Amino acid sequence: MPTKLDDARVLLARANRILANEGVLDAFGHVSLRHPTDPSRYLLSRSRGPELVQPDDILEFNLDSEPIKPPTARLYSERVIHGEIFKARPEVMAVCHHHAPSILPFCVTGAAMKPVNHLGATMGLRVPLWDSRDEFGNTNLLVVKPEEGASLARALGPNWTVLLRRHGATVGGTSLEECVFRCIYTALNARMQIEALLLGGFEPLNDEEIDLAGGANLRPGPINRAWEYWSVRLDKVEGTHTALPGSSATKRSVPKKTTAKKSAPKRAKNRARRRR
Amino acid sequence: MPTKLDDARVLLARANRILANEGVLDAFGHVSLRHPTDPSRYLLSRSRGPELVQPDDILEFNLDSEPIKPPTARLYSERVIHGEIFKARPEVMAVCHHHAPSILPFCVTGAAMKPVNHLGATMGLRVPLWDSRDEFGNTNLLVVKPEEGASLARALGPNWTVLLRRHGATVGGTSLEECVFRCIYTALNARMQIEALLLGGFEPLNDEEIDLAGGANLRPGPINRAWEYWSVRLDKVEGTHTALPGSSATKRSVPKKTTAKKSAPKRAKNRARRRR
Amino acid sequence: MPTKLDDARVLLARANRILANEGVLDAFGHVSLRHPTDPSRYLLSRSRGPELVQPDDILEFNLDSEPIKPPTARLYSERVIHGEIFKARPEVMAVCHHHAPSILPFCVTGAAMKPVNHLGATMGLRVPLWDSRDEFGNTNLLVVKPEEGASLARALGPNWTVLLRRHGATVGGTSLEECVFRCIYTALNARMQIEALLLGGFEPLNDEEIDLAGGANLRPGPINRAWEYWSVRLDKVEGTHTALPGSSATKRSVPKKTTAKKSAPKRAKNRARRRR
Amino acid sequence: MPTKLDDARVLLARANRILANEGVLDAFGHVSLRHPTDPSRYLLSRSRGPELVQPDDILEFNLDSEPIKPPTARLYSERVIHGEIFKARPEVMAVCHHHAPSILPFCVTGAAMKPVNHLGATMGLRVPLWDSRDEFGNTNLLVVKPEEGASLARALGPNWTVLLRRHGATVGGTSLEECVFRCIYTALNARMQIEALLLGGFEPLNDEEIDLAGGANLRPGPINRAWEYWSVRLDKVEGTHTALPGSSATKRSVPKKTTAKKSAPKRAKNRARRRR
């Protein structure tokens, strides 16, 4: 019987691959999840491109970002980003650090990132910009030292998204699904905002709208709908897509995912059934 | 023997997946079809990402957007968009509400959306912009209350496309295929217009050209040609593509998959029906 | 034994699908080839999305764009574009009419399209802009009447590419492969030029460079290399890709699909022929 | 037992296909590797689209860019780019010449290309712009003569990336993986910089940051992580992807394709080697 930790590993590996499949992460960037039963730990993959991450790649870290077990593989050098935010923000359950191409122009120009539609409102009311030079002078721009991570966490403050000058973004969530949702729709909103900025005369959501629309879209309904969508898209790309529930053609084949493990033969069987 | 309603469900599910495959819809947005035999009802999927919608997901609603049967699944919260437009516009047979990335800059800047080529002319002569704040003040931007839907329907007026400030677009059609065509080519036109706007010195179609070109492209010939194209593209992505009629070269190479075998005749029949 | 006409049909069908696969054509647009043995005729598909065109879809027309045999299917309404250019320009062997998204901003703003790299030089020294309003006033923008086609052919003059105001482009070639090359690299150049225009301070190739670079890239070497590349990309998408000649590593792994079996030798032969 | 040269051929063919798969190369452009045991030679494919290059396509050249064996196939006309840079820069082990769409606007406007994030810093401190007109007047823009290659190599100087006015870019590396990394992240950085330039108020990395961040990202850790990611992406596209090491869930599901069978162990070995 899979434990809560097993399930968390499967979920986090999937979030890695979803964020890669939707263009938020590439060879770099990472996403973490607070440990499901021990809030003083978090889960993060060993160092590898997120599109490739599988449950067995997921390791445990304490909030000082030290691995619980002696590592046998390379670790992400920037994991303090995760540890320091989990430390500073007990309600944060997941953190993603990324370099989505659409947010970089904001990181370079300092133009304020603003929600331009209701889904973008999930980025939060304010998106601060952290400049590593302010406290640390010239660096390689990576957030590697605990004090760098802590400084970034302070810049994030009570918000959900923070931009890193000349580097990327870091995003939190009260759940992994919320964090993924925020990343994807913030990146999409950024592209829309760039074009709106270029056309001029641009009017974003006002604060009350951001608050209302952000809240509305982070309820379970929209979040689950989006997660199912991204998850099926990933399954299609990975060749593990089975029929969707809710269609008599397909109703029979609801995947009982324990992971890929148990379902592989079942998947094949389901597929055969559907074809008859 | 499939009833008209069965056929409508199959067609509407396919329209959902086509609009997703062509990038108009993502996890959100929805498309509806007036009931084929009862004009006081319309068909709409239960709440789920359009790329995933199957015929069994399609439910019936009255024009007040209440489900005919007690629902066992979540419903789209914004279905009044569909009901109120079907109420106000008896000639409208299909409605799509979407957030295509290329139209959002117009929703945010208030720049007027204009046809820049003959296919874009299908958006219609005028594309009004509805601002939820005008009547309802600050909201979560979703169109959920009947009076919000009715207000949007009034803003649409006799036109075919209406933009929703800081939100997206809503598009009608005298058939589902026309509605899909209008959505896709309006989104494409929007991208072209943005680039033309940035380059300056921009000259759109004049009113007579919009009228003539819009009419020419919404005749059965072009609409069926485009529908067949989008439909085959979807089949390819879904792995259900079989050889195209009219090609002896490909006829020989129909893959002997068991999957394709049994469903091929049905698919072919559906296609033939649609083409008439 | 396939005749020259059979071969031409296969080649033209493939050019249709290559241009669709590379994003130049979508549901609309068309490409034609002068008849291989009778210069007073040309070949063009029946009306269907180019991505779907198979050899059996290819029909014969005289230079007045009347079908040689009574048609049993819908025809492209704009085929006079092809007939009138073949009439006016005996050295033109292939014509493509398209609405590639990157060229539309030029059709709308009237900004002059210019080569910005050596491959874009294949568009030719001058790209005139034809405005249907000048001679015909307000129309549906389609080029349907013989006199409209003739007017467009005059606007093309001795050049290889002509833009149609608020509509698209028409492109000729001394061979089908040359025409496809010109379409694809002109569309790519257009995107580069738009961004250069936006950045300002833009310096295109000068006339002598256009002449020299255009000539260099339209020799058999580059054209065949590009055609092989686009052709393999198409084969991959269509699932008919087999191992590439010249690689012992892959020779062993030719998939033993029954589908691929019968058409493989023919495909190989066509490819070999083209490379000479 | 494969020799070092065999391995180099496999690696270089793969680099060709990775650069094509990631959008840096299309039908044109090429990438070379210095001979693994004889520094007075280099390896380069025969003339063919990089997406198609297989180990057997790789030929040997001396630093004057003459083939070691009499060639039986067409050669790239621009191979002096590679030879002259290998001659001038003994520490350069790999060279790529490309026309990535995002760098062309810089080649046309003369706007200075600058790193805007830490990964872009790998382009190097300075990216000179070489204009063929300065020394050679109007040409077809191809770099074909030894003196043209030598002039370009001088323009590159001690740097790692040089832009070719109205043409493209040429990039060196101390290893093939480094060269590929630099190409991909420079092209991505260029797109981000264009958008930042359009938005104005743009602040790139300063020299010390470029130096530190460039150095940090070209260490074995990041380079191997990126190479594994691009390599798996290529395997997925080519249908040769097998389960990833480090995941027990997937280990069991290695596809039993005859195709994959023979090459799988070799692939795994190559991958393992690269990771050390």
Side-chain angles (χ1 to χ4, degrees):
Chain A
M1 216 185 74
T3 62
K4 278 194 178 183
L5 182 57
D6 290 338
D7 286 346
R9 275 203 177 101
V10 168
L11 190 69
L12 181 55
R14 177 158 281 262
N16 270 273
R17 303 199 308 277
I18 283 176
L19 285 164
N21 195 40
E22 300 298 330
V24 171
L25 301 174
D26 63 351
F28 297 96
H30 15 82
V31 55
S32 64
L33 177 63
R34 202 184 279 269
H35 191 289
T37 57
D38 179 352
S40 73
R41 293 184 182 182
Y42 69 91
L43 308 177
L44 183 70
S45 171
R46 68 180 176 99
S47 176
R48 99 178 315 192
E51 184 171 321
L52 282 48
V53 170
Q54 298 296 335
D56 283 6
D57 296 321
I58 306 291
L59 307 174
E60 289 179 61
F61 299 88
N62 64 26
L63 298 195
D64 289 330
S65 297
E66 290 154 355
I68 302 299
K69 294 178 193 164
T72 59
R74 280 183 58 87
L75 305 180
Y76 291 132
S77 64
E78 294 192 301
R79 57 193 188 278
V80 293
I81 293 176
H82 304 266
E84 297 303 319
I85 290 176
F86 285 126
K87 215 182 269 180
R89 294 278 300 273
E91 80 281 26
V92 167
M93 291 297 131
V95 173
C96 176
H97 170 63
H98 70 79
H99 320 127
S102 63
I103 59 111
L104 255 293
F106 295 93
C107 303
V108 176
T109 60
M113 204 158 80
K114 294 281 186 190
V116 302
N117 84 344
H118 59 302
L119 293 160
T122 56
M123 74 176 66
L125 209 53
R126 211 169 68 85
V127 176
L129 176 63
W130 179 74
D131 192 331
S132 52
R133 274 188 217 156
D134 293 344
E135 263 183 80
F136 305 98
N138 293 336
T139 66
N140 64 12
L141 290 171
L142 297 175
V143 183
V144 174
K145 298 180 192 161
E147 57 268 31
E148 290 167 339
S151 169
L152 176 62
R154 279 194 306 275
L156 175 64
N159 302 293
W160 293 100
T161 308
V162 59
L163 299 185
L164 289 71
R165 193 115 194 177
R166 301 175 301 280
H167 181 154
T170 299
V171 177
T174 62
S175 72
L176 188 58
E177 292 88 342
E178 180 187 306
C179 181
V180 167
F181 191 109
R182 182 170 280 129
C183 287
I184 293 175
Y185 278 110
T186 298
L188 199 53
N189 185 93
R191 166 101 12 250
M192 294 167 178
Q193 190 189 345
I194 289 170
E195 286 172 1
L197 277 166
L198 292 177
L199 295 181
F202 151 73
E203 184 187 17
L205 276 64
N206 63 33
D207 284 4
E208 194 179 355
E209 286 174 319
I210 295 174
D211 202 48
L212 292 169
N217 283 299
L218 295 177
R219 286 172 308 183
I223 286 206
N224 292 344
R225 174 166 154 201
W227 182 269
E228 187 199 21
Y229 165 70
W230 293 317
S231 206
V232 168
R233 276 163 65 87
L234 179 68
D235 285 336
K236 285 181 184 175
V237 165
E238 296 187 344
T240 55
H241 177 55
T242 54
L244 296 168
S247 135
S248 72
T250 55
K251 234 175 235 154
R252 271 159 285 163
S253 62
V254 181
K256 297 248 169 63
K257 342 171 179 167
T258 15
T259 339
K261 228 190 241 174
K262 298 225 166 152
S263 48
K266 191 169 177 191
R267 252 197 334 263
K269 214 175 63 184
N270 283 337
R271 248 184 229 141
R273 190 182 304 137
R274 228 162 29 241
R275 266 173 210 148
R276 261 170 237 148
Chain B
M1 215 183 75
T3 62
K4 279 194 176 182
L5 182 57
D6 291 338
D7 286 347
R9 276 202 176 103
V10 168
L11 189 68
L12 181 55
R14 177 158 281 261
N16 270 273
R17 302 199 308 277
I18 282 175
L19 285 165
N21 194 41
E22 300 298 331
V24 171
L25 301 174
D26 64 351
F28 297 96
H30 14 83
V31 55
S32 64
L33 177 62
R34 202 184 280 269
H35 192 288
T37 56
D38 180 353
S40 73
R41 293 184 181 182
Y42 71 90
L43 307 177
L44 182 71
S45 171
R46 67 179 178 97
S47 176
R48 98 178 317 191
E51 184 170 321
L52 283 48
V53 170
Q54 299 296 334
D56 282 8
D57 294 322
I58 306 291
L59 307 175
E60 290 179 58
F61 298 89
N62 65 24
L63 297 194
D64 289 331
S65 297
E66 290 154 354
I68 301 301
K69 294 179 192 163
T72 60
R74 280 183 60 86
L75 304 180
Y76 291 132
S77 65
E78 293 193 302
R79 58 193 187 278
V80 294
I81 293 175
H82 304 266
E84 297 303 319
I85 290 175
F86 285 126
K87 216 182 268 178
R89 295 277 301 273
E91 81 281 27
V92 166
M93 290 297 130
V95 173
C96 177
H97 170 63
H98 69 79
H99 319 127
S102 63
I103 59 113
L104 255 292
F106 295 93
C107 302
V108 175
T109 59
M113 204 157 80
K114 295 281 186 192
V116 302
N117 84 343
H118 58 302
L119 293 160
T122 55
M123 74 175 68
L125 209 53
R126 211 169 68 84
V127 176
L129 176 63
W130 180 75
D131 192 331
S132 52
R133 273 188 217 158
D134 293 345
E135 263 184 79
F136 306 99
N138 292 336
T139 66
N140 64 12
L141 289 171
L142 298 176
V143 183
V144 175
K145 298 180 192 160
E147 56 268 31
E148 290 166 340
S151 169
L152 176 62
R154 279 195 304 276
L156 175 64
N159 303 292
W160 293 101
T161 307
V162 59
L163 298 185
L164 289 71
R165 192 116 194 177
R166 300 174 301 282
H167 181 154
T170 299
V171 176
T174 63
S175 71
L176 188 58
E177 292 88 342
E178 180 187 307
C179 180
V180 167
F181 191 108
R182 182 170 281 129
C183 287
I184 292 174
Y185 277 110
T186 298
L188 199 53
N189 186 91
R191 167 101 11 248
M192 294 165 179
Q193 190 189 345
I194 289 170
E195 286 171 2
L197 277 166
L198 292 177
L199 294 181
F202 152 72
E203 184 186 15
L205 276 64
N206 65 31
D207 284 4
E208 194 179 355
E209 285 174 319
I210 295 174
D211 202 49
L212 292 169
N217 283 300
L218 295 176
R219 286 173 307 183
I223 285 205
N224 292 345
R225 175 167 152 201
W227 182 270
E228 186 199 21
Y229 165 70
W230 292 316
S231 206
V232 168
R233 276 163 65 87
L234 180 67
D235 284 336
K236 285 181 185 174
V237 165
E238 296 188 344
T240 55
H241 178 56
T242 53
L244 295 169
S247 155
S248 67
T250 51
K251 245 172 226 159
R252 267 164 284 159
S253 62
V254 179
K256 295 255 165 60
K257 299 187 198 161
T258 26
T259 336
K261 230 191 234 169
K262 300 227 167 154
S263 47
K266 189 172 177 187
R267 261 204 318 274
K269 211 175 67 183
N270 284 337
R271 243 184 234 142
R273 191 180 303 135
R274 268 198 304 278
R275 263 179 215 139
R276 263 172 233 149
Chain C
M1 215 185 76
T3 63
K4 278 194 178 182
L5 182 56
D6 291 338
D7 285 348
R9 275 202 176 102
V10 168
L11 189 68
L12 181 55
R14 177 158 280 261
N16 270 272
R17 303 200 307 278
I18 282 176
L19 285 164
N21 194 42
E22 300 298 330
V24 171
L25 301 174
D26 64 351
F28 297 97
H30 15 82
V31 55
S32 64
L33 178 61
R34 203 183 280 269
H35 192 289
T37 56
D38 179 353
S40 73
R41 293 185 182 181
Y42 69 91
L43 308 177
L44 182 71
S45 171
R46 67 179 177 99
S47 176
R48 98 179 315 191
E51 184 171 320
L52 282 49
V53 169
Q54 300 294 336
D56 283 7
D57 295 322
I58 306 291
L59 307 175
E60 289 179 59
F61 299 89
N62 65 26
L63 297 194
D64 290 330
S65 297
E66 290 154 354
I68 302 300
K69 294 180 193 163
T72 59
R74 281 183 59 87
L75 305 180
Y76 291 132
S77 65
E78 294 192 301
R79 58 194 186 277
V80 294
I81 293 175
H82 304 267
E84 298 303 320
I85 290 175
F86 284 126
K87 215 182 269 178
R89 295 277 299 275
E91 80 282 25
V92 166
M93 290 298 132
V95 174
C96 176
H97 170 62
H98 70 78
H99 319 128
S102 63
I103 59 112
L104 255 292
F106 295 92
C107 303
V108 175
T109 59
M113 205 157 79
K114 295 279 186 193
V116 302
N117 84 344
H118 59 303
L119 293 160
T122 56
M123 73 176 69
L125 209 54
R126 212 170 66 85
V127 177
L129 176 63
W130 179 74
D131 192 332
S132 52
R133 272 187 217 159
D134 292 345
E135 262 184 78
F136 305 99
N138 293 335
T139 66
N140 65 12
L141 290 170
L142 298 176
V143 183
V144 174
K145 298 180 192 160
E147 57 268 32
E148 290 167 339
S151 169
L152 176 62
R154 281 194 304 276
L156 174 64
N159 302 292
W160 293 100
T161 308
V162 59
L163 298 185
L164 290 70
R165 190 116 195 177
R166 301 173 301 281
H167 181 153
T170 298
V171 176
T174 63
S175 72
L176 188 57
E177 291 88 342
E178 179 187 308
C179 180
V180 166
F181 190 109
R182 183 171 279 131
C183 286
I184 292 175
Y185 277 110
T186 299
L188 199 54
N189 186 91
R191 165 101 13 247
M192 294 166 178
Q193 191 190 345
I194 289 171
E195 286 171 2
L197 277 166
L198 292 177
L199 294 182
F202 152 74
E203 184 186 17
L205 276 65
N206 65 31
D207 284 4
E208 194 178 356
E209 286 174 320
I210 295 174
D211 203 48
L212 292 169
N217 283 299
L218 295 176
R219 287 172 307 183
I223 286 205
N224 291 346
R225 175 166 153 201
W227 182 270
E228 186 199 23
Y229 165 70
W230 293 317
S231 205
V232 169
R233 275 163 65 87
L234 180 68
D235 284 336
K236 286 182 184 175
V237 165
E238 297 188 343
T240 55
H241 178 57
T242 54
L244 295 168
S247 154
S248 67
T250 52
K251 244 173 226 159
R252 269 164 285 159
S253 62
V254 180
K256 296 253 166 62
K257 298 187 199 162
T258 24
T259 334
K261 231 189 233 170
K262 300 219 168 162
S263 46
K266 189 174 178 186
R267 262 203 318 273
K269 210 176 67 182
N270 284 335
R271 242 183 234 143
R273 189 181 304 137
R274 270 196 303 276
R275 261 178 218 140
R276 262 170 234 150
Chain D
M1 217 185 76
T3 63
K4 277 194 179 183
L5 182 57
D6 290 338
D7 286 347
R9 275 203 177 102
V10 169
L11 189 69
L12 180 55
R14 177 157 281 261
N16 271 272
R17 303 200 307 276
I18 283 176
L19 285 165
N21 194 41
E22 300 297 330
V24 171
L25 302 174
D26 64 351
F28 297 96
H30 15 82
V31 55
S32 64
L33 178 62
R34 202 184 281 267
H35 192 288
T37 56
D38 179 353
S40 73
R41 293 185 181 182
Y42 69 92
L43 308 178
L44 182 71
S45 171
R46 67 178 176 100
S47 176
R48 98 178 316 192
E51 184 171 322
L52 282 48
V53 169
Q54 299 296 335
D56 283 7
D57 295 322
I58 306 291
L59 306 175
E60 289 179 61
F61 298 89
N62 65 25
L63 297 194
D64 289 330
S65 298
E66 290 154 354
I68 302 299
K69 294 179 192 164
T72 60
R74 280 183 60 86
L75 305 180
Y76 291 131
S77 65
E78 294 191 302
R79 60 194 185 276
V80 292
I81 294 175
H82 304 267
E84 296 303 320
I85 290 176
F86 285 126
K87 215 182 271 178
R89 294 277 300 273
E91 80 282 27
V92 167
M93 291 297 131
V95 174
C96 176
H97 170 62
H98 70 79
H99 320 127
S102 63
I103 59 112
L104 255 292
F106 295 92
C107 302
V108 176
T109 60
M113 205 158 80
K114 294 281 187 190
V116 302
N117 84 344
H118 58 304
L119 293 159
T122 55
M123 73 177 68
L125 208 55
R126 211 169 68 84
V127 177
L129 176 63
W130 179 74
D131 192 332
S132 53
R133 273 187 217 157
D134 293 345
E135 264 183 78
F136 306 98
N138 293 335
T139 66
N140 64 12
L141 290 170
L142 297 176
V143 183
V144 175
K145 298 180 194 161
E147 57 267 32
E148 290 166 340
S151 169
L152 176 63
R154 280 195 304 276
L156 174 64
N159 302 292
W160 293 100
T161 308
V162 59
L163 298 185
L164 289 71
R165 192 116 195 178
R166 301 174 300 282
H167 181 153
T170 298
V171 176
T174 62
S175 72
L176 189 57
E177 292 88 341
E178 179 187 308
C179 181
V180 166
F181 190 108
R182 182 170 280 129
C183 286
I184 292 176
Y185 277 109
T186 299
L188 199 52
N189 186 91
R191 166 100 12 247
M192 294 166 179
Q193 190 189 345
I194 290 171
E195 287 172 0
L197 278 166
L198 293 177
L199 295 181
F202 152 73
E203 184 186 16
L205 277 63
N206 64 33
D207 284 3
E208 194 179 354
E209 286 174 319
I210 295 174
D211 202 48
L212 293 169
N217 283 298
L218 295 177
R219 286 172 307 183
I223 285 204
N224 291 346
R225 175 166 152 202
W227 182 271
E228 186 199 23
Y229 165 70
W230 293 316
S231 205
V232 168
R233 277 163 64 88
L234 179 68
D235 284 335
K236 285 182 185 176
V237 165
E238 297 188 343
T240 55
H241 178 56
T242 53
L244 295 168
S247 155
S248 67
T250 52
K251 242 172 229 160
R252 265 160 287 161
S253 63
V254 180
K256 297 254 165 61
K257 298 187 199 160
T258 24
T259 334
K261 230 188 233 170
K262 299 221 167 160
S263 46
K266 190 175 178 186
R267 262 205 316 274
K269 211 174 68 183
N270 283 337
R271 245 184 233 142
R273 189 180 305 136
R274 270 197 302 277
R275 261 179 219 138
R276 262 170 234 149

